[in-house]
């Protein structure tokens, strides 16, 4: 874990504003984690009630996005933050955007669950779906934990895991395509799984973005689009 010392402020109100933005970000992250869990379970169990619950939760996610956006905008306008404070506000703003997008992907998964429920059948490719779903949820949790603790080691692990998820996603898609070609009767259900896998893969991408935000916040370095070896070099520099 890396400790980060933020700028010291004579204004207690300024410190409170920064802490409030951080707390609301963590609150939003908790809602999104729950939304993913409910959406994924609705898909695996083909539970339309849970699917609708996950979709409704998106309103709470959107409300939190607007609240935090307003808070960070007010801080920028009133406080003119610099140095680590400015990096913090930027990292919060980017992370909020990624969390909102994760919520959107969770909605897509819930919508696939509703379609499966209408068809009265469970998803094909359950093993691959369950495995990737579990891994992606772990990534989101780890990325938020790394933000809360300013832990660049955990953030880097999330980035490494995203590469693994991408490989497993591509393998699962090839398997589904093969099944559809061998048995056209499976096409509809296989497509439900395919779009769900796509949503999970995108959630993994957003978790990686959050991890990159953590590294930017702590190290002051933009590691987007960089190879993992280069990111590791950045983290090892004192």
């Amino acid at each position: 874990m890396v400790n980060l010392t933020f700028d010291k402020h004579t204004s207690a109100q300024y410190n409170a504003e920064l802490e409030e933005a951080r707390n609301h970000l963590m609150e939003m992250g908790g809602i999104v984690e729950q939304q993913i869990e409910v959406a994924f379970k609705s898909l695996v169990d083909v539970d339309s009630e849970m699917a609708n619950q996950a979709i409704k939760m998106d309103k709470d996610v959107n409300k939190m996005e607007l609240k935090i956006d307003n808070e960070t905008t007010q801080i920028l306008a009133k406080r003119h933050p610099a140095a680590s404070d400015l990096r913090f506000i930027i990292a919060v703003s980017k992370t909020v955007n990624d969390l909102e997008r994760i919520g959107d992907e969770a909605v897509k998964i819930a919508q696939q669950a509703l379609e499966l429920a209408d068809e009265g059948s469970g998803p094909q490719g359950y093993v691959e779906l369950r495995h990737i779903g579990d891994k992606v949820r772990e990534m989101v949790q780890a990325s938020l934990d790394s933000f809360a603790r300013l832990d660049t080691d955990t953030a880097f692990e999330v980035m490494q895991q995203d590469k693994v998820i991408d490989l497993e996603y591509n393998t699962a898609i090839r398997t589904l395509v093969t099944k559809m070609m061998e048995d056209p009767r499976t096409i509809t259900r296989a497509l439900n799984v395919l779009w769900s896998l796509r949503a999970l893969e995108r959630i993994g991408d957003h978790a990686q973005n959050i991890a990159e935000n953590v590294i930017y916040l702590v190290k002051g370095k933009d590691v987007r689009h960089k190879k993992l070896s280069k990111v590791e070099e950045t983290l090892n520099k004192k």
Side-chain angles (χ1 to χ4, degrees):
M1 185 190 301
V2 179
N3 292 322
L4 182 66
T5 302
F6 288 100
D7 297 338
K8 300 298 182 181
H9 311 294
T10 56
S11 170
Q13 180 61 33
Y14 187 6
N15 291 324
E17 289 168 2
L18 292 171
E19 185 64 21
E20 186 174 43
R22 176 190 175 280
N23 290 340
H24 285 157
L25 175 66
M26 291 299 107
E27 182 182 347
M28 182 181 182
I31 296 172
V32 169
E33 282 189 82
Q34 185 181 4
Q35 185 186 19
I36 297 170
E37 183 177 356
V38 173
F40 187 68
K41 186 170 177 56
S42 76
L43 178 70
V44 173
D45 295 345
V46 196
D47 188 324
S48 57
E49 184 176 345
M50 292 190 73
N52 285 318
Q53 180 185 345
I55 292 171
K56 289 178 181 178
M57 290 176 71
D58 205 46
K59 292 182 179 179
D60 295 329
V61 174
N62 292 338
K63 286 180 182 177
M64 290 301 299
E65 178 193 23
L66 294 175
K67 176 185 289 188
I68 301 169
D69 280 350
N70 181 64
E71 289 172 349
T72 54
T73 299
Q74 290 297 317
I75 292 173
L76 286 171
K78 294 193 302 181
R79 306 297 183 180
H80 306 291
S84 60
D85 285 345
L86 181 58
R87 293 206 307 272
F88 173 74
I89 293 301
I90 293 172
V92 166
S93 296
K94 289 183 176 181
T95 298
V96 164
N97 181 64
D98 280 303
L99 287 174
E100 191 276 332
R101 297 290 296 278
I102 289 174
D104 289 344
E105 297 300 333
V107 168
K108 292 177 184 177
I109 293 172
Q111 289 171 338
Q112 296 305 316
L114 289 176
E115 290 191 15
L116 284 170
D118 288 341
E119 295 165 12
S121 60
Q124 297 290 319
Y126 173 84
V127 175
E128 297 91 341
L129 186 69
R130 184 63 176 265
H131 178 70
I132 292 177
D134 288 342
K135 290 295 183 182
V136 165
R137 284 183 293 168
E138 289 173 5
M139 284 179 63
V140 173
Q141 183 180 39
S143 68
L144 289 168
D145 186 49
S146 72
F147 198 109
R149 298 188 295 121
L150 301 177
D151 187 345
T152 56
D153 291 337
T154 299
F156 184 62
E157 290 173 3
V158 171
M159 296 180 69
Q160 291 175 307
Q161 190 61 40
D162 188 58
K163 301 301 180 184
V164 176
I165 292 297
D166 288 344
L167 291 173
E168 294 186 359
Y169 165 75
N170 290 329
T171 299
I173 293 301
R174 286 194 295 270
T175 299
L176 281 171
V177 171
T178 299
K179 287 181 179 179
M180 287 189 286
M181 292 175 64
E182 291 175 348
D183 186 357
R185 292 172 298 178
T186 67
I187 289 178
T188 299
R189 285 176 293 177
L191 284 175
N192 289 132
V193 175
L194 188 151
W195 292 123
S196 298
L197 284 170
R198 176 57 179 163
L200 287 170
E201 191 269 340
R202 290 295 299 138
I203 290 174
D205 288 343
H206 289 299
Q208 172 175 290
N209 291 347
I210 295 172
E212 292 171 349
N213 294 338
V214 173
I215 294 173
Y216 167 74
L217 172 56
V218 175
K219 290 289 187 177
K221 300 293 183 181
D222 188 345
V223 296
R224 291 176 297 174
H225 314 303
K226 287 190 176 182
K227 294 181 179 179
L228 288 177
S229 59
K230 294 296 183 181
V231 177
E232 191 169 21
E233 287 179 14
T234 298
L235 295 180
N236 290 333
K237 287 181 179 178
K238 301 298 182 181

